[in-house]
Amino acid sequence: MARRWILWGVVLWMGILLNVPNARGASWQEKYPALQFSRISSENEADRVARDRRLLTYLERALGVKMKAHQATEYAGTIEALRSGKVEFAVLGPASYAAAWEITGGNVEPFLAGTDKAGNLGYYSVISVKQESAFQALADLKGKTFAFADPNSTSGYLVPSFYLRKQGYPPDVFFGKTGFSGSHENSILAVLNGTYDAAATWWNDENYSNVSRMESKGMIPKGSTRVIWKSPRLPGDPVWVIIKSLPAEMKADIKAALLAMPTGDPAAWKDLVGDSSQSLKEVSHSEYLDIIEIRKQNLKERRGK
């Protein structure tokens, strides 16, 4: 009799298992056999594509799915790809994260950000001019031409326009002309070729900035620009964001894969960041609340004109 009950229990348990698609639940990879990733266009497309190539190969191996890169020629293209569900995760700046968070109704969340070489989060917005120019301070740029990078750039538009107004230099009044170059690299090139007198761009430290990266790529001569203004320290950038409504297991696996990349695939990590970053660190929405508020104030100021 005891043996019969044991056998019956085994049959019953097997029946339960057979009626569940997977005892642990179906893996997220079955539902998402391919993922798309995008990044904002802070540098030219050819360099961006090359930088991502090894990253995508690494993620395919780590996650067990096909990876594709969604290319956007402006920041808004990556933000729209998140809103429309064309990509699952992306690399943004703090301001473009703020825009994506608003446009998606809060359906994106930051989960990682890059550190500097010392392991610290954060960076700065700076104003750069030609090395040989007469401009020594912000006041010297009155009536001159000024390049912003992109309307959704943190260091290339949102932060400098906010702090310039706060310091008594409203850009639309103080400068003779302002414009958007399309990227940080374009802004510096525009200053060097004389299209603009000055430009806003990003700066981590003396060893790593948009300008130093352009110098290392041979795009501009070393020492051809100098900084005449620097913002307060900004939150961690670049910001890795993901669609909030995606499966928790997927989000955890993507985060784990990226955190492991510096040691798991050093070549892919170097392609991604060069020698600029020690690691990625976990971040949350609360760390970007000030940027969200600055963006709201900037929009309110522009609409009030």
Side-chain angles (χ1 to χ4, degrees):
M1 178 66 71
R3 184 180 178 187
R4 182 182 300 171
W5 279 110
I6 291 171
L7 289 172
W8 174 249
V10 170
V11 170
L12 180 62
W13 178 243
M14 289 181 66
I16 292 172
L17 289 179
L18 289 172
N19 280 285
V20 177
N22 185 317
R24 298 174 56 199
S27 70
W28 64 263
Q29 288 92 340
E30 292 176 27
K31 186 175 180 182
Y32 298 90
L35 298 180
Q36 289 223 57
F37 146 85
S38 185
R39 72 166 66 244
I40 53 175
S41 53
S42 61
E43 62 180 328
N44 68 78
E45 185 174 345
D47 287 342
R48 197 164 70 247
V49 170
R51 193 181 297 279
D52 291 341
R53 190 171 294 120
R54 209 187 305 256
L55 166 67
L56 296 176
T57 300
Y58 165 75
L59 288 175
E60 285 187 345
R61 185 172 67 251
L63 300 174
V65 295
K66 288 289 184 183
M67 288 295 311
K68 297 178 182 178
H70 174 273
Q71 301 299 334
T73 57
E74 57 184 6
Y75 286 39
T78 295
I79 296 169
E80 173 58 24
L82 286 164
R83 186 201 66 78
S84 62
K86 290 182 179 178
V87 301
E88 282 75 29
F89 63 110
V91 175
L92 304 176
S96 44
Y97 164 65
W101 180 80
E102 180 181 344
I103 289 168
T104 63
N107 193 36
V108 293
E109 57 187 355
F111 64 104
L112 294 173
T115 69
D116 61 20
K117 293 179 74 171
N120 302 310
L121 289 169
Y123 70 120
Y124 301 87
S125 170
V126 296
I127 292 176
S128 293
V129 298
K130 273 186 184 180
Q131 178 65 254
E132 67 271 20
S133 75
F135 311 125
Q136 300 298 320
L138 191 56
D140 297 334
L141 293 175
K142 182 174 177 59
K144 305 303 180 182
T145 56
F146 190 86
F148 291 113
D150 184 282
N152 288 302
S153 170
T154 312
S155 57
Y157 174 66
L158 185 77
V159 162
S161 60
F162 174 79
Y163 281 109
L164 291 181
R165 282 199 307 273
K166 190 173 181 180
Q167 293 170 13
Y169 303 101
D172 54 340
V173 175
F174 179 69
F175 298 116
K177 183 184 78 170
T178 63
F180 291 105
S181 71
S183 76
H184 288 270
E185 291 182 343
N186 287 346
S187 291
I188 295 301
L189 291 174
V191 168
L192 293 180
N193 68 29
T195 305
Y196 289 95
D197 295 308
T201 189
W202 60 268
W203 186 93
N204 279 44
D205 55 39
E206 293 293 345
N207 299 310
Y208 189 66
S209 64
N210 176 47
V211 167
S212 68
R213 188 173 71 179
M214 292 176 72
E215 291 172 346
S216 70
K217 292 195 291 187
M219 296 178 68
I220 59 174
K222 190 172 180 61
S224 57
T225 69
R226 57 186 164 79
V227 170
I228 63 169
W229 178 88
K230 186 170 74 170
S231 75
R233 193 170 182 86
L234 309 176
D237 175 82
V239 192
W240 292 77
V241 307
I242 195 163
I243 300 295
K244 187 182 292 187
S245 55
L246 289 172
E249 295 82 2
M250 177 201 290
K251 294 191 286 186
D253 287 349
I254 291 172
K255 180 190 290 186
L258 291 169
L259 286 171
M261 185 164 49
T263 54
D265 193 333
W269 176 249
K270 187 170 183 180
D271 277 357
L272 185 66
V273 301
D275 296 318
S276 66
S277 178
Q278 182 189 97
S279 62
L280 294 170
K281 286 188 175 180
E282 295 188 41
V283 293
S284 66
H285 176 73
S286 62
E287 293 165 65
Y288 297 89
L289 292 177
D290 286 348
I291 295 296
I292 289 171
E293 185 58 34
I294 288 174
R295 181 175 181 273
K296 287 179 180 178
Q297 291 184 37
N298 271 14
L299 289 173
K300 184 178 179 180
E301 182 77 16
R302 290 171 65 187
R303 289 167 181 162
K305 300 297 182 187

